[in-house]
PDB file of all heavy atoms in Angstrom:
ATOM      1  N   VAL A  60     -64.647 -37.583 -21.859  1.00  0.00           N
ATOM      2  CA  VAL A  60     -65.031 -37.920 -23.237  1.00  0.00           C
ATOM      3  C   VAL A  60     -66.622 -38.141 -23.259  1.00  0.00           C
ATOM      4  O   VAL A  60     -67.269 -37.570 -24.122  1.00  0.00           O
ATOM      5  CB  VAL A  60     -64.412 -39.267 -23.678  1.00  0.00           C
ATOM      6  CG1 VAL A  60     -65.044 -39.857 -24.907  1.00  0.00           C
ATOM      7  CG2 VAL A  60     -62.935 -38.985 -23.960  1.00  0.00           C
ATOM      8  N   LEU A  61     -67.126 -38.837 -22.278  1.00  0.00           N
ATOM      9  CA  LEU A  61     -68.635 -39.015 -22.186  1.00  0.00           C
ATOM     10  C   LEU A  61     -69.352 -37.723 -22.119  1.00  0.00           C
ATOM     11  O   LEU A  61     -70.336 -37.484 -22.868  1.00  0.00           O
ATOM     12  CB  LEU A  61     -68.952 -39.893 -21.026  1.00  0.00           C
ATOM     13  CG  LEU A  61     -70.402 -40.287 -20.866  1.00  0.00           C
ATOM     14  CD1 LEU A  61     -70.860 -41.212 -22.005  1.00  0.00           C
ATOM     15  CD2 LEU A  61     -70.662 -40.921 -19.553  1.00  0.00           C
ATOM     16  N   GLU A  62     -68.891 -36.807 -21.259  1.00  0.00           N
ATOM     17  CA  GLU A  62     -69.551 -35.549 -21.101  1.00  0.00           C
ATOM     18  C   GLU A  62     -69.451 -34.719 -22.367  1.00  0.00           C
ATOM     19  O   GLU A  62     -70.432 -34.039 -22.773  1.00  0.00           O
ATOM     20  CB  GLU A  62     -68.918 -34.802 -19.935  1.00  0.00           C
ATOM     21  CG  GLU A  62     -69.228 -35.388 -18.594  1.00  0.00           C
ATOM     22  CD  GLU A  62     -68.418 -34.867 -17.473  1.00  0.00           C
ATOM     23  OE1 GLU A  62     -67.317 -34.337 -17.742  1.00  0.00           O
ATOM     24  OE2 GLU A  62     -68.766 -34.980 -16.280  1.00  0.00           O
ATOM     25  N   ASN A  63     -68.304 -34.754 -23.021  1.00  0.00           N
ATOM     26  CA  ASN A  63     -68.197 -34.022 -24.315  1.00  0.00           C
ATOM     27  C   ASN A  63     -69.174 -34.507 -25.360  1.00  0.00           C
ATOM     28  O   ASN A  63     -69.803 -33.735 -26.059  1.00  0.00           O
ATOM     29  CB  ASN A  63     -66.781 -34.098 -24.804  1.00  0.00           C
ATOM     30  CG  ASN A  63     -65.868 -32.902 -24.463  1.00  0.00           C
ATOM     31  OD1 ASN A  63     -65.938 -31.860 -24.993  1.00  0.00           O
ATOM     32  ND2 ASN A  63     -65.074 -33.123 -23.417  1.00  0.00           N
ATOM     33  N   VAL A  64     -69.341 -35.838 -25.475  1.00  0.00           N
ATOM     34  CA  VAL A  64     -70.316 -36.387 -26.386  1.00  0.00           C
ATOM     35  C   VAL A  64     -71.740 -35.989 -26.024  1.00  0.00           C
ATOM     36  O   VAL A  64     -72.496 -35.629 -26.921  1.00  0.00           O
ATOM     37  CB  VAL A  64     -70.102 -37.892 -26.546  1.00  0.00           C
ATOM     38  CG1 VAL A  64     -71.198 -38.469 -27.456  1.00  0.00           C
ATOM     39  CG2 VAL A  64     -68.726 -38.238 -27.059  1.00  0.00           C
ATOM     40  N   MET A  65     -72.017 -35.976 -24.732  1.00  0.00           N
ATOM     41  CA  MET A  65     -73.367 -35.646 -24.266  1.00  0.00           C
ATOM     42  C   MET A  65     -73.745 -34.168 -24.710  1.00  0.00           C
ATOM     43  O   MET A  65     -74.893 -33.924 -24.869  1.00  0.00           O
ATOM     44  CB  MET A  65     -73.456 -35.847 -22.756  1.00  0.00           C
ATOM     45  CG  MET A  65     -73.509 -37.317 -22.353  1.00  0.00           C
ATOM     46  SD  MET A  65     -73.399 -37.465 -20.556  1.00  0.00           S
ATOM     47  CE  MET A  65     -74.977 -36.806 -20.033  1.00  0.00           C
ATOM     48  N   THR A  66     -72.751 -33.313 -24.761  1.00  0.00           N
ATOM     49  CA  THR A  66     -73.055 -31.923 -25.102  1.00  0.00           C
ATOM     50  C   THR A  66     -73.593 -31.830 -26.522  1.00  0.00           C
ATOM     51  O   THR A  66     -74.219 -30.808 -26.926  1.00  0.00           O
ATOM     52  CB  THR A  66     -71.860 -31.001 -25.031  1.00  0.00           C
ATOM     53  OG1 THR A  66     -70.813 -31.393 -25.917  1.00  0.00           O
ATOM     54  CG2 THR A  66     -71.287 -31.000 -23.551  1.00  0.00           C
ATOM     55  N   GLY A  67     -73.432 -32.885 -27.371  1.00  0.00           N
ATOM     56  CA  GLY A  67     -73.996 -32.847 -28.665  1.00  0.00           C
ATOM     57  C   GLY A  67     -75.507 -32.936 -28.669  1.00  0.00           C
ATOM     58  O   GLY A  67     -76.159 -32.655 -29.706  1.00  0.00           O
ATOM     59  N   LEU A  68     -76.049 -33.175 -27.497  1.00  0.00           N
ATOM     60  CA  LEU A  68     -77.588 -33.186 -27.356  1.00  0.00           C
ATOM     61  C   LEU A  68     -78.079 -31.847 -26.864  1.00  0.00           C
ATOM     62  O   LEU A  68     -79.239 -31.768 -26.423  1.00  0.00           O
ATOM     63  CB  LEU A  68     -78.011 -34.317 -26.409  1.00  0.00           C
ATOM     64  CG  LEU A  68     -77.864 -35.722 -26.948  1.00  0.00           C
ATOM     65  CD1 LEU A  68     -78.081 -36.680 -25.789  1.00  0.00           C
ATOM     66  CD2 LEU A  68     -78.871 -35.987 -28.041  1.00  0.00           C
ATOM     67  N   HIS A  69     -77.295 -30.816 -26.854  1.00  0.00           N
ATOM     68  CA  HIS A  69     -77.659 -29.550 -26.250  1.00  0.00           C
ATOM     69  C   HIS A  69     -78.960 -28.989 -26.804  1.00  0.00           C
ATOM     70  O   HIS A  69     -79.711 -28.333 -26.074  1.00  0.00           O
ATOM     71  CB  HIS A  69     -76.552 -28.513 -26.365  1.00  0.00           C
ATOM     72  CG  HIS A  69     -76.265 -28.104 -27.788  1.00  0.00           C
ATOM     73  ND1 HIS A  69     -76.933 -27.127 -28.435  1.00  0.00           N
ATOM     74  CD2 HIS A  69     -75.360 -28.598 -28.697  1.00  0.00           C
ATOM     75  CE1 HIS A  69     -76.460 -26.991 -29.619  1.00  0.00           C
ATOM     76  NE2 HIS A  69     -75.517 -27.840 -29.799  1.00  0.00           N
ATOM     77  N   GLY A  70     -79.256 -29.235 -28.046  1.00  0.00           N
ATOM     78  CA  GLY A  70     -80.484 -28.711 -28.628  1.00  0.00           C
ATOM     79  C   GLY A  70     -81.664 -29.503 -28.246  1.00  0.00           C
ATOM     80  O   GLY A  70     -82.823 -29.161 -28.553  1.00  0.00           O
ATOM     81  N   ARG A  71     -81.499 -30.678 -27.634  1.00  0.00           N
ATOM     82  CA  ARG A  71     -82.628 -31.554 -27.331  1.00  0.00           C
ATOM     83  C   ARG A  71     -82.837 -31.822 -25.837  1.00  0.00           C
ATOM     84  O   ARG A  71     -83.745 -32.522 -25.476  1.00  0.00           O
ATOM     85  CB  ARG A  71     -82.436 -32.918 -28.079  1.00  0.00           C
ATOM     86  CG  ARG A  71     -82.276 -32.698 -29.591  1.00  0.00           C
ATOM     87  CD  ARG A  71     -82.326 -34.037 -30.310  1.00  0.00           C
ATOM     88  NE  ARG A  71     -82.183 -33.865 -31.679  1.00  0.00           N
ATOM     89  CZ  ARG A  71     -82.312 -34.836 -32.583  1.00  0.00           C
ATOM     90  NH1 ARG A  71     -82.594 -36.040 -32.183  1.00  0.00           N
ATOM     91  NH2 ARG A  71     -82.136 -34.595 -33.931  1.00  0.00           N
ATOM     92  N   LEU A  72     -81.951 -31.294 -25.014  1.00  0.00           N
ATOM     93  CA  LEU A  72     -82.039 -31.522 -23.573  1.00  0.00           C
ATOM     94  C   LEU A  72     -82.534 -30.278 -22.851  1.00  0.00           C
ATOM     95  O   LEU A  72     -82.336 -29.133 -23.276  1.00  0.00           O
ATOM     96  CB  LEU A  72     -80.658 -31.828 -23.029  1.00  0.00           C
ATOM     97  CG  LEU A  72     -79.981 -33.098 -23.537  1.00  0.00           C
ATOM     98  CD1 LEU A  72     -78.570 -33.244 -22.934  1.00  0.00           C
ATOM     99  CD2 LEU A  72     -80.816 -34.324 -23.243  1.00  0.00           C
ATOM    100  N   ASP A  73     -83.264 -30.454 -21.758  1.00  0.00           N
ATOM    101  CA  ASP A  73     -83.770 -29.352 -20.989  1.00  0.00           C
ATOM    102  C   ASP A  73     -82.657 -28.802 -20.143  1.00  0.00           C
ATOM    103  O   ASP A  73     -81.568 -29.303 -20.058  1.00  0.00           O
ATOM    104  CB  ASP A  73     -84.979 -29.698 -20.174  1.00  0.00           C
ATOM    105  CG  ASP A  73     -84.676 -30.830 -19.136  1.00  0.00           C
ATOM    106  OD1 ASP A  73     -83.513 -30.897 -18.729  1.00  0.00           O
ATOM    107  OD2 ASP A  73     -85.602 -31.569 -18.823  1.00  0.00           O
ATOM    108  N   GLU A  74     -82.927 -27.684 -19.490  1.00  0.00           N
ATOM    109  CA  GLU A  74     -81.868 -26.952 -18.766  1.00  0.00           C
ATOM    110  C   GLU A  74     -81.283 -27.839 -17.657  1.00  0.00           C
ATOM    111  O   GLU A  74     -80.092 -27.755 -17.375  1.00  0.00           O
ATOM    112  CB  GLU A  74     -82.456 -25.691 -18.203  1.00  0.00           C
ATOM    113  CG  GLU A  74     -81.411 -24.804 -17.462  1.00  0.00           C
ATOM    114  CD  GLU A  74     -82.061 -23.521 -16.986  1.00  0.00           C
ATOM    115  OE1 GLU A  74     -83.219 -23.252 -17.317  1.00  0.00           O
ATOM    116  OE2 GLU A  74     -81.374 -22.794 -16.270  1.00  0.00           O
ATOM    117  N   ALA A  75     -82.110 -28.622 -17.036  1.00  0.00           N
ATOM    118  CA  ALA A  75     -81.607 -29.459 -15.919  1.00  0.00           C
ATOM    119  C   ALA A  75     -80.580 -30.419 -16.390  1.00  0.00           C
ATOM    120  O   ALA A  75     -79.537 -30.643 -15.712  1.00  0.00           O
ATOM    121  CB  ALA A  75     -82.799 -30.238 -15.326  1.00  0.00           C
ATOM    122  N   VAL A  76     -80.778 -31.065 -17.573  1.00  0.00           N
ATOM    123  CA  VAL A  76     -79.855 -32.023 -18.028  1.00  0.00           C
ATOM    124  C   VAL A  76     -78.582 -31.371 -18.504  1.00  0.00           C
ATOM    125  O   VAL A  76     -77.464 -31.837 -18.267  1.00  0.00           O
ATOM    126  CB  VAL A  76     -80.490 -32.811 -19.220  1.00  0.00           C
ATOM    127  CG1 VAL A  76     -79.464 -33.819 -19.766  1.00  0.00           C
ATOM    128  CG2 VAL A  76     -81.725 -33.540 -18.719  1.00  0.00           C
ATOM    129  N   LEU A  77     -78.717 -30.161 -19.122  1.00  0.00           N
ATOM    130  CA  LEU A  77     -77.503 -29.475 -19.515  1.00  0.00           C
ATOM    131  C   LEU A  77     -76.646 -29.126 -18.235  1.00  0.00           C
ATOM    132  O   LEU A  77     -75.435 -29.216 -18.234  1.00  0.00           O
ATOM    133  CB  LEU A  77     -77.832 -28.153 -20.246  1.00  0.00           C
ATOM    134  CG  LEU A  77     -78.082 -28.327 -21.686  1.00  0.00           C
ATOM    135  CD1 LEU A  77     -78.417 -26.946 -22.325  1.00  0.00           C
ATOM    136  CD2 LEU A  77     -76.897 -28.880 -22.469  1.00  0.00           C
ATOM    137  N   GLY A  78     -77.398 -28.725 -17.184  1.00  0.00           N
ATOM    138  CA  GLY A  78     -76.661 -28.516 -15.936  1.00  0.00           C
ATOM    139  C   GLY A  78     -75.943 -29.713 -15.412  1.00  0.00           C
ATOM    140  O   GLY A  78     -74.844 -29.684 -14.914  1.00  0.00           O
ATOM    141  N   ALA A  79     -76.553 -30.956 -15.604  1.00  0.00           N
ATOM    142  CA  ALA A  79     -75.885 -32.120 -15.207  1.00  0.00           C
ATOM    143  C   ALA A  79     -74.662 -32.454 -16.062  1.00  0.00           C
ATOM    144  O   ALA A  79     -73.599 -32.811 -15.472  1.00  0.00           O
ATOM    145  CB  ALA A  79     -76.874 -33.322 -15.270  1.00  0.00           C
ATOM    146  N   VAL A  80     -74.763 -32.163 -17.330  1.00  0.00           N
ATOM    147  CA  VAL A  80     -73.616 -32.348 -18.166  1.00  0.00           C
ATOM    148  C   VAL A  80     -72.408 -31.459 -17.731  1.00  0.00           C
ATOM    149  O   VAL A  80     -71.227 -31.865 -17.740  1.00  0.00           O
ATOM    150  CB  VAL A  80     -73.971 -32.069 -19.659  1.00  0.00           C
ATOM    151  CG1 VAL A  80     -72.736 -32.079 -20.520  1.00  0.00           C
ATOM    152  CG2 VAL A  80     -74.961 -33.102 -20.123  1.00  0.00           C
ATOM    153  N   PHE A  81     -72.728 -30.251 -17.365  1.00  0.00           N
ATOM    154  CA  PHE A  81     -71.709 -29.377 -16.931  1.00  0.00           C
ATOM    155  C   PHE A  81     -71.427 -29.390 -15.413  1.00  0.00           C
ATOM    156  O   PHE A  81     -71.047 -28.375 -14.826  1.00  0.00           O
ATOM    157  CB  PHE A  81     -72.056 -27.908 -17.357  1.00  0.00           C
ATOM    158  CG  PHE A  81     -71.894 -27.714 -18.858  1.00  0.00           C
ATOM    159  CD1 PHE A  81     -73.030 -27.810 -19.628  1.00  0.00           C
ATOM    160  CD2 PHE A  81     -70.677 -27.444 -19.390  1.00  0.00           C
ATOM    161  CE1 PHE A  81     -72.898 -27.637 -21.033  1.00  0.00           C
ATOM    162  CE2 PHE A  81     -70.549 -27.281 -20.773  1.00  0.00           C
ATOM    163  CZ  PHE A  81     -71.676 -27.392 -21.565  1.00  0.00           C
ATOM    164  N   ARG A  82     -71.602 -30.554 -14.845  1.00  0.00           N
ATOM    165  CA  ARG A  82     -71.227 -30.872 -13.423  1.00  0.00           C
ATOM    166  C   ARG A  82     -72.027 -30.051 -12.468  1.00  0.00           C
ATOM    167  O   ARG A  82     -71.490 -29.697 -11.411  1.00  0.00           O
ATOM    168  CB  ARG A  82     -69.724 -30.601 -13.249  1.00  0.00           C
ATOM    169  CG  ARG A  82     -68.868 -31.585 -14.056  1.00  0.00           C
ATOM    170  CD  ARG A  82     -67.406 -31.400 -13.727  1.00  0.00           C
ATOM    171  NE  ARG A  82     -66.559 -32.281 -14.586  1.00  0.00           N
ATOM    172  CZ  ARG A  82     -66.352 -33.529 -14.270  1.00  0.00           C
ATOM    173  NH1 ARG A  82     -66.814 -34.085 -13.217  1.00  0.00           N
ATOM    174  NH2 ARG A  82     -65.556 -34.240 -15.074  1.00  0.00           N
ATOM    175  N   SER A  83     -73.252 -29.644 -12.709  1.00  0.00           N
ATOM    176  CA  SER A  83     -74.114 -29.079 -11.670  1.00  0.00           C
ATOM    177  C   SER A  83     -74.740 -30.153 -10.875  1.00  0.00           C
ATOM    178  O   SER A  83     -74.476 -31.332 -11.010  1.00  0.00           O
ATOM    179  CB  SER A  83     -75.145 -28.144 -12.402  1.00  0.00           C
ATOM    180  OG  SER A  83     -76.222 -28.966 -12.863  1.00  0.00           O
ATOM    181  N   ARG A  84     -75.735 -29.781  -9.973  1.00  0.00           N
ATOM    182  CA  ARG A  84     -76.357 -30.684  -9.156  1.00  0.00           C
ATOM    183  C   ARG A  84     -77.621 -31.320  -9.774  1.00  0.00           C
ATOM    184  O   ARG A  84     -78.329 -32.137  -9.123  1.00  0.00           O
ATOM    185  CB  ARG A  84     -76.731 -30.038  -7.800  1.00  0.00           C
ATOM    186  CG  ARG A  84     -75.521 -29.502  -7.006  1.00  0.00           C
ATOM    187  CD  ARG A  84     -75.951 -28.726  -5.803  1.00  0.00           C
ATOM    188  NE  ARG A  84     -74.821 -28.260  -5.061  1.00  0.00           N
ATOM    189  CZ  ARG A  84     -74.887 -27.495  -3.966  1.00  0.00           C
ATOM    190  NH1 ARG A  84     -76.095 -27.101  -3.493  1.00  0.00           N
ATOM    191  NH2 ARG A  84     -73.799 -26.999  -3.470  1.00  0.00           N
ATOM    192  N   SER A  85     -77.958 -30.849 -10.973  1.00  0.00           N
ATOM    193  CA  SER A  85     -79.188 -31.315 -11.622  1.00  0.00           C
ATOM    194  C   SER A  85     -78.954 -32.699 -12.297  1.00  0.00           C
ATOM    195  O   SER A  85     -78.447 -32.775 -13.394  1.00  0.00           O
ATOM    196  CB  SER A  85     -79.657 -30.290 -12.717  1.00  0.00           C
ATOM    197  OG  SER A  85     -79.807 -29.007 -12.053  1.00  0.00           O
ATOM    198  N   LEU A  86     -79.363 -33.715 -11.511  1.00  0.00           N
ATOM    199  CA  LEU A  86     -79.230 -35.112 -12.048  1.00  0.00           C
ATOM    200  C   LEU A  86     -80.636 -35.666 -12.179  1.00  0.00           C
ATOM    201  O   LEU A  86     -81.441 -35.498 -11.277  1.00  0.00           O
ATOM    202  CB  LEU A  86     -78.401 -35.929 -11.063  1.00  0.00           C
ATOM    203  CG  LEU A  86     -76.975 -35.456 -10.839  1.00  0.00           C
ATOM    204  CD1 LEU A  86     -76.298 -36.343  -9.786  1.00  0.00           C
ATOM    205  CD2 LEU A  86     -76.207 -35.495 -12.114  1.00  0.00           C
ATOM    206  N   CYS A  87     -80.947 -36.289 -13.262  1.00  0.00           N
ATOM    207  CA  CYS A  87     -82.297 -36.737 -13.490  1.00  0.00           C
ATOM    208  C   CYS A  87     -82.273 -37.932 -14.480  1.00  0.00           C
ATOM    209  O   CYS A  87     -81.198 -38.288 -14.991  1.00  0.00           O
ATOM    210  CB  CYS A  87     -83.170 -35.677 -14.005  1.00  0.00           C
ATOM    211  SG  CYS A  87     -82.540 -34.988 -15.578  1.00  0.00           S
ATOM    212  N   ASP A  88     -83.445 -38.528 -14.691  1.00  0.00           N
ATOM    213  CA  ASP A  88     -83.516 -39.647 -15.583  1.00  0.00           C
ATOM    214  C   ASP A  88     -83.064 -39.367 -16.968  1.00  0.00           C
ATOM    215  O   ASP A  88     -82.422 -40.164 -17.675  1.00  0.00           O
ATOM    216  CB  ASP A  88     -84.912 -40.227 -15.617  1.00  0.00           C
ATOM    217  CG  ASP A  88     -85.363 -40.896 -14.290  1.00  0.00           C
ATOM    218  OD1 ASP A  88     -84.440 -41.226 -13.530  1.00  0.00           O
ATOM    219  OD2 ASP A  88     -86.566 -41.053 -14.107  1.00  0.00           O
ATOM    220  N   ALA A  89     -83.383 -38.149 -17.432  1.00  0.00           N
ATOM    221  CA  ALA A  89     -82.984 -37.730 -18.757  1.00  0.00           C
ATOM    222  C   ALA A  89     -81.496 -37.658 -18.935  1.00  0.00           C
ATOM    223  O   ALA A  89     -80.998 -38.004 -20.002  1.00  0.00           O
ATOM    224  CB  ALA A  89     -83.638 -36.292 -19.084  1.00  0.00           C
TER     225      ALA A  89
END
């Protein structure tokens, strides 16, 4: 549920954060 809601920020997040949302290794403060 949390990850689904986070995808609503897709237009405002950089590629690294989108990668984190989709379970990649890109984890950051954003």
Side-chain angles (χ1 to χ4, degrees):
V60 166
L61 184 68
E62 290 166 340
N63 265 281
V64 174
M65 288 172 67
T66 64
L68 288 170
H69 64 86
R71 302 189 181 188
L72 298 177
D73 60 29
E74 184 178 353
V76 178
L77 276 179
V80 172
F81 287 97
R82 297 186 181 277
S83 79
R84 298 176 181 176
S85 301
L86 300 176
C87 58
D88 291 342

